[in-house]
Amino acid sequence: MDLRSHHPYPSRRSAVAADNLVSTSHPLAAQAGVRMLAQGGNAADAALAAAITLTVVEPTGNGIGSDAFAILWDGTALHGLNASGRSPAGWTPERFAGHDTMPFHGWESVTVPGAVSAWTALSRRFGKLAFATLFEPAIGYAENGFPVSPVIATLWHRAAQQLSSQPGFAETFMPEGRAPRAGAYFRSPGHARTLRLIAETEGRAFYEGEIAAEIAAFAAEHGAALTQADLAANSPDWCGTIAKSFDDTTLHEIPPNGQGIAALMGLGILSQTGIRDMDADDPQALHLQIEAMKLALRDAESYVADLDHMKSITVEDLLDDGYLATRAREIDPAKARDVGAGAPKHGGTVYLTAADASGMMVSFIQSNYAGFGSGVVVPGTGVALQNRGAGFSLDPAHQNHVGPGKRPFHTIIPGFLMGPDGPQMSFGVMGGPMQAQGHVQMVLRTQLWGQDPQMAVDAPRWRVTDGLGVACETTVPPATIETLRAMGHQITLEAPDNAFGFGGAQLIHRLSGGRGYVAGSDPRKDGAAMGF
């Protein structure tokens, strides 16, 4: 990796190098993480303080009612945590009879929130500081207020137009009857109260106590299925990781129910192509990546589900080298294709990363799914509930068919790279279906083409949409767009500030020699990398 003072992409910043680093989607959250490191905490403490702070300062992408996943290197081993919640016990398929698709907003899209359980699990196993200490920055911002940034204000305004009628939303997130403007101070006393109760009880108040009772009572008031028993039954899983190598680098992802497997499949398919002979911004290299991700995403959509329910088509089937080679042969090097699912067996999100001088590295992601999620906010608590239930299928033949006590298909995924000498990079890219595609783009740019984290973050991105459709940032050179269109790609251009469409990325890469790190953060959102 070449740390350069100049690079070919428009950028507002340089990579940040330090022995201890935190990179998040909001400066106040990054600052909260660094504050924990300065108090003697480790990367786990820093990541958690940043994550908790993000529920306050970036409610447009996450909240107390989010789900979460993490991959952590503890200095000797890699650990994966799945803290996505399950569907209520009352969510039988019959409950959704008459629906063409799963509801996207409202109570019928709410599954049990898992983020709080991620905070407690990571802190208990790996943290050094007292659990309550991690909440101090977030509680301060919730009680005293913080100035809303222009990016967050824009996303907040858009969400308010859609969600103002959802139960509890306007009461909490539309003071004075509208979304806060950029620069306005926003306070959320209920949010502070909930965080304090979670801190004091190590999460029990949220799943078994006072807050759980308030969530369940509000659900019952609106005829929702979610109960206090559903909340009490929640538990995160130390699930390990699944992996796929590209030359001497191995990408690790969380096993399904998430879409991380699509990134592994895309990378595995690309390893069977001639992409190594191409430059980073060669239109042919983009074409191969786009075609590989079409194949991977189509399979993920068709087969990925709660791991306990992936019986007919398994993770091993989808990651089989022979199968991925077969999929690679379906790529036409000169022409775009509208692909279908293969036959592997015949018959609104926030991402952050932290690393410390001891060698610990944390890749952490939590999300409401769509912006503020379901739009449902429990009065007096600041708890905005995610809409992850929208990820279920209503097809009875699908492994992801809606049912009780089941995890839905998830888009949020933390990424982690291991190299021949150990941990290499903790990273993630936000933005719904962009995430697996973004992981592949970041891996290739940093590992195959040697770009530093900030350069990889600043490079123009693309996103497969559907059929032959591909969305590209307007910063992609016109000549590249023309070449891709000539190959049959149906290109639409979108501004780079489309934070959900192209995601915001955060990367921390270990420097060669094993000491120190270098980080990149994304100006598409309010990304900030800080260290000491």
Side-chain angles (χ1 to χ4, degrees), residues 148 211 483:
V148 177
I211 302 302
T483 301

Side-chain angles (χ1 to χ4, degrees), residues 19-21 37 41-44 354-361 510 517:
D19 288 331
N20 302 272
L21 275 171
L37 291 167
N42 60 19
D356 65 37
S358 77
M360 180 179 283
M361 300 176 72
R510 181 179 288 278
Y517 309 91

Side-chain angles (χ1 to χ4, degrees), residues 19-85:
D19 288 331
N20 302 272
L21 275 171
V22 182
S23 184
T24 80
S25 56
H26 197 290
L28 295 180
Q31 196 174 69
V34 169
R35 180 171 156 185
M36 298 302 115
L37 291 167
Q39 291 181 37
N42 60 19
D45 297 314
L48 289 171
I52 295 162
T53 299
L54 282 167
T55 69
V56 180
V57 301
E58 194 175 335
T60 53
N62 78 129
I64 303 173
S66 287
D67 278 351
F69 298 85
I71 301 176
L72 182 146
W73 173 260
D74 66 3
T76 58
L78 205 58
H79 306 269
L81 179 67
N82 183 335
S84 61

